[in-house]
Amino acid sequence: MLPSWEPLWPYRAVLAVDARNFSALDSKGMQQVNADIPPLLAQALSASNVSAHWERRTFGQHTGDGYVAGMDPEVLPALVGCFPDALRTALARRRAEAPAGPPLQLRVSIHIGPLPNSGLGVPMVHTHRLLDDDALRSVLNRANPEITNTVVIISQRVYEDVFESGCLNGDVLPSQYTRHLAKVKKFQQPAWIHIPGFDWRLANPDIFEPVDAAEEAVAQPEAPAPVAPARAADPVPGTVNFSHYGKDGIQAVNNYGGRGQ
């Protein structure tokens, strides 16, 4: 007799979003944000040319301060390459239409895995762990909400499936995603962070956990700080000050334009 077997659940691309500072809103503000998020997602996904897939989404549900849903895995190239900037545009349009209210900023996570129609399973848990990563919160906390309204994190699996397949939609480059070790509770996995329109070479990496942190050698003792040369007292307002070094290291300081001169 042949052994029995169970089919694997269909793979789903899981999209989850969360609003920053949702708890700081009053009840009316919470209801407004809760109502606004699905249309904003629909606008961004329509601009990414995946409206039909969004209409057929599975386990779509509000999470209070956000929304989560599953779609066919074939939408991943659009979710990674087009959706982030389309969402940023949709949020900017919302801001322009209602300038009196606080700007809405959204964290986004994208993952993939086998899930039933209920959405209950480990891939769903991992999607929310990525969404809760402190690095995403740090980015939006540091950012000007009038400028940066979207930050996206994708799993290592999503990054590999999209960029290694060569099927990326849109004009996003792999270098626009920066690698990071996501750590939430017992969850710890490599992931990739993207801020639409941002050049990561300009970023301060201190807010991110390097993936190879555990493999780094023990840090060397810090070298003593160089002793700065002595300088004259700060000139009074209105002066022009400069200094130079002459023979044998002798320093000369010149002040011009001060009071009494």
Side-chain angles (χ1 to χ4, degrees), residues 112-153:
I112 185 174
L115 285 169
N117 290 334
S118 66
L120 296 177
V122 172
M124 176 64 76
V125 173
H126 287 181
T127 302
H128 285 285
R129 291 290 182 263
L130 291 170
L131 194 63
D132 289 336
D133 184 63
D134 283 340
L136 268 68
R137 299 179 187 275
S138 296
V139 166
L140 290 186
N141 287 340
R142 293 183 177 205
N144 182 340
E146 302 284 351
I147 300 174
T148 303
N149 57 36
T150 304
V151 61
V152 179
I153 187 169

Side-chain angles (χ1 to χ4, degrees), residues 148-210:
T148 303
N149 57 36
T150 304
V151 61
V152 179
I153 187 169
I154 65 176
S155 65
Q156 177 73 23
R157 171 68 186 274
V158 169
Y159 183 91
E160 292 174 355
D161 285 354
V162 171
F163 288 107
E164 293 182 7
S165 70
C167 295
L168 181 69
N169 298 150
D171 57 1
V172 170
L173 301 172
S175 58
Q176 290 178 271
Y177 282 81
T178 189
R179 201 166 186 231
H180 161 69
L181 183 63
K183 298 168 65 176
V184 180
K185 298 181 179 180
K186 294 182 179 180
F187 174 85
Q188 182 171 313
Q189 288 189 11
W192 296 80
I193 294 178
H194 174 51
I195 304 173
F198 185 71
D199 183 349
W200 282 107
R201 291 191 177 184
L202 304 177
N204 176 4
D206 293 344
I207 63 174
F208 300 107
E209 179 76 20

